């Protein structure tokens, strides 16, 4: 009896390991196996195939014939990257120990609408005498009594204590410019924490869905997303947000949240944001390469998709004439709006 119990316990202990091995060996660790595993992951879990009208079966047919069993890792990586580029998604990255693929055509071909040299030479000055820094925020009061906050990355942590100090310092200003141009995203917690300083009421900012199955249209019902107002210092005056096409991911989320607020006048000025509304998810290929991709689509408060970016209220590009005079057209236009 004792021997039977021991055998049963050994069998139970081995089951997880056996199950894990079956999953890992679903596709072989060779060029064909890695190709098929990657294609299947995107086919079953990527969230924008139907929305973007991508025929993923046709993509399989096109690229499978290019996979050679004896091809090198570098050639395989290049081929798989090219296949992923058909998704036109900056959140889709294939990573090996050697390199990472990145799709960047979502901002190529657009006016840049940001000149760092002009910003510092004409408007901010130096860190020692022109502006203050608190965590990831650079801020200043201009001579015309307009406040300015520059936030370069949502990966740069910003605490509530930082926001209290910054908003208290800027409180005498007639209006506020928030400059998130070239901000490629980062932590959604920072996006929510900052946006919460601009509303006095619980605000519907959008909806999210989650994949529920392998089918391209297997999604949960839309779940509402709300922004709760901060319990600390909140800004009540007019705000202008400066955006360009390189605003992506968490920055796209921040702009959407700010534009959903109704009890503070908030104007988006510049160019359409880059989008990137799908929350990313990661998986792994048999050879250990990781694949990151969009898995949960995000919509605005009117249930409209945000993946392709958010159009500005005031569309404007930096003019060549202003740049020759070391002026930032977007900042000058924001001055005009906030001084009205």
């Amino acid at each position: 009896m004792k021997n039977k119990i021991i055998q049963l316990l050994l069998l139970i202990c081995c089951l997880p390991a056996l199950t894990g091995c079956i999953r890992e060996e679903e596709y072989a660790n060779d060029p064909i196996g890695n190709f098929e595993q990657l294609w299947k992951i995107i086919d079953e879990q990527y969230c924008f195939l139907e929305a973007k009208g991508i025929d993923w079966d046709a993509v399989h047919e096109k690229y499978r014939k290019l996979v050679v069993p004896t091809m090198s890792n570098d050639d395989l990586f290049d081929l798989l990257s090219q296949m992923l580029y058909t998704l036109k998604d900056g959140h889709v990255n294939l990573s090996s120990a050697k390199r990472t693929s990145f799709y960047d055509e979502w901002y190529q071909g657009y006016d840049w609408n940001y000149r760092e040299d002009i910003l510092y030479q004409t408007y901010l000055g130096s860190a020692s005498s022109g502006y203050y820094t608190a965590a990831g925020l650079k801020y200043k009061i201009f001579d015309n009594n307009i406040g300015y906050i520059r936030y370069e990355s949502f990966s740069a942590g910003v605490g509530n204590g930082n926001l209290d100090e910054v908003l208290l310092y800027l409180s005498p200003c007639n209006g506020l410019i928030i400059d998130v141009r070239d901000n490629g995203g980062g932590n959604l917690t920072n996006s929510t924490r900052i946006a919460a300083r601009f509303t006095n009421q619980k605000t519907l900012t959008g909806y999210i869905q989650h994949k529920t199955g392998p089918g391209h249209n297997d999604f949960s019902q839309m779940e509402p997303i709300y922004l709760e107002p901060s319990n600390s210092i909140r800004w009540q005056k007019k705000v202008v947000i400066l955006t360009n096409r390189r605003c992506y991911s968490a920055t796209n989320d921040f702009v959407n949240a700010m534009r959903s607020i109704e009890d503070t006048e908030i104007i988006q000025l510049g160019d359409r944001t880059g989008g990137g509304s799908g929350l990313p998810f990661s998986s792994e290929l048999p050879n250990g390469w990781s694949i990151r991709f969009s898995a949960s689509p995000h919509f605005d408060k009117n249930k409209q998709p945000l993946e392709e970016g958010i159009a500005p209220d005031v569309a404007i590009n930096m003019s060549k004439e202003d740049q020759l005079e070391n002026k930032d057209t977007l900042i000058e236009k924001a001055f005009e709006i906030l001084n009205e």
Side-chain angles (χ1 to χ4, degrees), residues 14-26:
C14 288
L15 282 175
L18 291 171
T19 304
C21 288
I22 291 172
R23 284 198 298 267
E24 291 175 3
E25 295 299 326
E26 185 174 356

Side-chain angles (χ1 to χ4, degrees), residues 187-234:
N187 193 330
L188 287 174
T189 300
N190 294 323
S191 167
T192 302
R193 181 174 293 140
I194 297 173
R197 296 303 185 113
F198 295 89
T199 184
N200 297 319
Q201 58 190 13
K202 183 178 179 179
T203 301
L204 175 68
T205 62
Y207 296 86
I208 192 170
Q209 288 183 306
H210 302 281
K211 285 285 281 174
T212 57
H216 294 178
N217 285 314
D218 289 344
F219 292 103
S220 66
Q221 295 295 316
M222 286 189 178
E223 301 172 13
I225 302 172
Y226 292 96
L227 176 68
E228 297 280 356
S230 170
N231 292 324
S232 192
I233 298 173
R234 296 193 292 268

